[in-house]
Amino acid sequence: MKDTDIRLDDSWQLTQAADGDAPLCSRLDCLYQNIVLEALTQPGDLFYDAEFGWGLYDFIQSEDTELTRLEMTQRVKSKLQRREVILPETIGITITRADDTARLRCTFRFAGEDEARTLNIVIDAVSVEVIAE
């Protein structure tokens, strides 16, 4: 894996190094950043990849039902499983709800890594946010 991209900050915005250059991330850190961006994207938003995006905005103001939780879990799991470098048996998704807010905690492990990666996603009444851990 030789991917390289501009490193984003904890708010997923562009960063700038002290010398004015854009700092880079590479390899699995770059892939993790790409997964975060995919979680925040709706399918069809990228003209060059209609499949990119988890479509979590579909769940804004959704009812808290077993069917909704199952659909959220399956959507996230299927998107993560498309990444060959993620070990499918390590994917775990938990959903908690409070008022109008759903919190998804996704854990997974890249092949070749010992520690699991985590994504915390908050879907509230008006937005989807990924909280870096």
Side-chain angles (χ1 to χ4, degrees):
M1 167 148 307
K2 297 181 184 191
D3 292 346
T4 301
D5 201 354
I6 296 171
R7 181 175 302 281
L8 302 177
D9 66 15
D10 289 342
S11 300
W12 312 112
Q13 302 299 311
L14 293 174
T15 59
Q16 187 173 5
D19 65 1
D21 274 348
L24 302 177
C25 62
S26 60
R27 296 193 170 100
L28 294 177
D29 287 336
C30 181
L31 179 59
Y32 178 79
Q33 180 174 286
N34 185 265
I35 291 168
V36 169
L37 293 174
E38 184 177 20
L40 293 168
T41 304
Q42 285 292 101
D45 281 356
L46 295 182
F47 70 91
Y48 55 88
D49 187 352
E51 297 295 314
F52 188 85
W54 289 6
L56 296 177
Y57 286 86
D58 295 347
F59 298 104
I60 288 178
Q61 298 185 358
S62 65
E63 291 186 39
D64 184 19
T65 65
E66 281 299 313
L67 185 59
T68 301
R69 287 176 182 239
L70 180 62
E71 187 177 349
M72 292 166 94
T73 300
Q74 287 303 110
R75 187 174 299 185
V76 171
K77 189 176 267 191
S78 69
K79 292 293 187 167
L80 288 172
Q81 288 175 337
R82 289 180 43 204
R83 310 275 185 152
E84 292 178 9
V85 71
I86 293 176
L87 302 171
E89 67 275 10
T90 67
I91 298 171
I93 299 159
T94 57
I95 300 171
T96 57
R97 294 218 43 152
D99 300 322
D100 289 337
T101 302
R103 295 182 182 275
L104 283 75
R105 180 176 175 85
C106 309
T107 57
F108 57 90
R109 194 163 49 89
F110 291 128
E113 283 192 334
D114 295 328
E115 296 292 320
R117 303 277 182 137
T118 302
L119 285 179
N120 290 302
I121 303 166
V122 177
I123 304 170
D124 64 25
V126 294
S127 67
V128 175
E129 178 183 8
V130 175
I131 301 170
E133 199 172 283

